[in-house]
Amino acid sequence: MKITKIERYQLCLPLITPFQTSYGVLEAKPLDLLILEDELGNRGYGELVSFEQPDYIEETIGADRQLIEEQLVPRLFQSDLQKAGDVWSLFQTIQGNFMAKSALETAVWDLFAKREQRSLQSYFGSHKSTLPVGVSVGIHATTEELIAQVSSYLKQGYQRIKVKIKPGYDIVPLSAIRENFPDVTLMADANSAYTLADLELFKQLDQLNLAMIEQPFHQRDFVDHARLQQQLQTKICLDENIRTVEDVKTAYALGSCRSINLKIPRVGGITEALRIVDFCQTHQLLVWLGGMFESGIGRALNLQFASQTSFTFPGDISAANRYYAKDIIKEPAKMEKGRIAVPQGVGLGIEIDWRAIEEVCEQKQTFSFHYSIKQ
């Protein structure tokens, strides 16, 4: 397969309500829609989901846009791809920049599926048609507001609650939720806001019957995560630490965690994500799928990927209206009775809403096959 044209739409989707974590407050999400076209006229969709600030991980959407244009796009144009997994090998000479790679790699997977007239889901050996899903809850001004929000989500049918925490906002909100909803599947996400000096706090959290505590420490810290896990009954889950299957192997060898939050963009795309799933399944590590405030395009990918039997824990794949008043696809993900349907049809199984794209598009660029790598 030859890539003959690539279109990039730089979008910005306003959130329905601001979302606060230990990093700060997110009010709108910048996203790039990447459309790859082959010599037969098939079109594959990918999504660049990096943040504007290098706080979640070191990548930013600005730097990723430059890398895509100067390094990744030329490599794609110069290659004859025999299978979707070839892109992983093609990009290996470029260090890091996993979200940039994923935006194009996932589009290639969609493109191959469309050439072969099959769904992405079929590549994963998946058969689930609906998935139970969880929801991530940001930091609230008061405990009363938090409880009201959690109550609303549970009434909507969400089957797992994840609460963002930070120093000074941890034991009180989590205890309040546990008191008000004693049977809810509850977990905490620290986004690297703590250190091992906070061990006593984590021992208190260990008494709340949490499903897991996600990313307590720094994103490159495997050793102290292992020391913490030794002290707790509650599972430690790693998120920002995990970029490759080698990171998962390191975490497993050290005992740094008992759970992995897998985000396809953070690990460079589908090929690496499948390697991670295989390792976790072989070594009895719980793996579940996280989200990156995706539009309907990335959400469709997440739903199809998470339909694998390996995923038994409800992921962060909320309904589209959890974050956005209007999506950029024609049939946004909706929740019914606590479950979301896996998109059916070829490729991602979605249709783009071009009118919605026009409303949120800030810039469009087209790249053609004459591009060359800048030295």
Side-chain angles (χ1 to χ4, degrees), residues 203-344:
K203 288 183 177 180
Q204 293 181 57
L205 297 181
D206 203 28
Q207 305 303 311
L208 295 179
N209 190 29
L210 301 178
M212 63 189 74
I213 301 172
E214 184 177 337
Q215 198 65 41
F217 302 154
H218 189 269
Q219 61 179 260
R220 304 315 299 162
D221 189 340
F222 289 94
V223 174
D224 279 356
H225 275 119
R227 290 170 176 158
L228 178 63
Q229 183 65 92
Q230 291 171 4
Q231 298 289 319
L232 304 182
Q233 294 297 315
T234 306
K235 289 184 179 70
I236 297 300
C237 173
L238 292 185
D239 176 349
E240 288 93 324
N241 278 69
I242 306 301
R243 319 296 175 81
T244 67
V245 72
E246 284 73 26
D247 291 328
V248 182
K249 291 176 180 178
T250 298
Y252 177 77
L254 294 175
S256 304
C257 67
R258 301 208 302 268
S259 175
I260 299 291
N261 176 346
L262 175 58
K263 293 176 180 171
I264 296 171
R266 199 194 59 242
V267 303
I270 292 171
T271 304
E272 190 70 12
L274 287 171
R275 296 175 71 205
I276 291 172
V277 170
D278 182 65
F279 182 89
C280 289
Q281 191 169 29
T282 302
H283 295 84
Q284 290 77 52
L285 277 173
L286 175 65
V287 61
W288 57 282
L289 206 70
M292 290 288 297
F293 298 91
E294 292 92 346
S295 77
I297 294 166
R299 202 171 303 276
L301 169 61
N302 286 344
L303 286 163
Q304 294 213 20
F305 194 86
S307 67
Q308 298 176 72
T309 55
S310 306
F311 292 93
T312 58
F313 188 80
D316 288 333
I317 316 175
S318 309
N321 63 6
R322 160 67 180 90
Y323 296 114
Y324 304 118
K326 189 171 184 179
D327 207 335
I328 60 172
I329 64 172
K330 289 193 174 179
E331 295 184 12
K334 297 180 181 179
M335 188 168 60
E336 295 183 4
K337 298 180 180 179
R339 305 178 74 89
I340 296 180
V342 177
Q344 302 299 306

Side-chain angles (χ1 to χ4, degrees), residues 140-159:
H140 282 62
T142 68
T143 301
E144 290 73 22
E145 290 178 10
L146 173 66
I147 295 302
Q149 183 69 85
V150 170
S151 178
S152 174
Y153 286 142
L154 292 176
K155 289 176 182 176
Q156 292 173 46
Y158 285 105
Q159 299 189 31

Side-chain angles (χ1 to χ4, degrees), residues 1-3 39 75-83 86 112:
M1 181 182 72
K2 296 291 290 184
I3 305 297
E39 75 278 11
R75 280 171 169 78
L76 277 180
F77 282 137
Q78 293 170 9
S79 300
D80 186 3
L81 303 172
Q82 301 302 309
K83 59 184 183 302
D86 289 349
F112 267 98

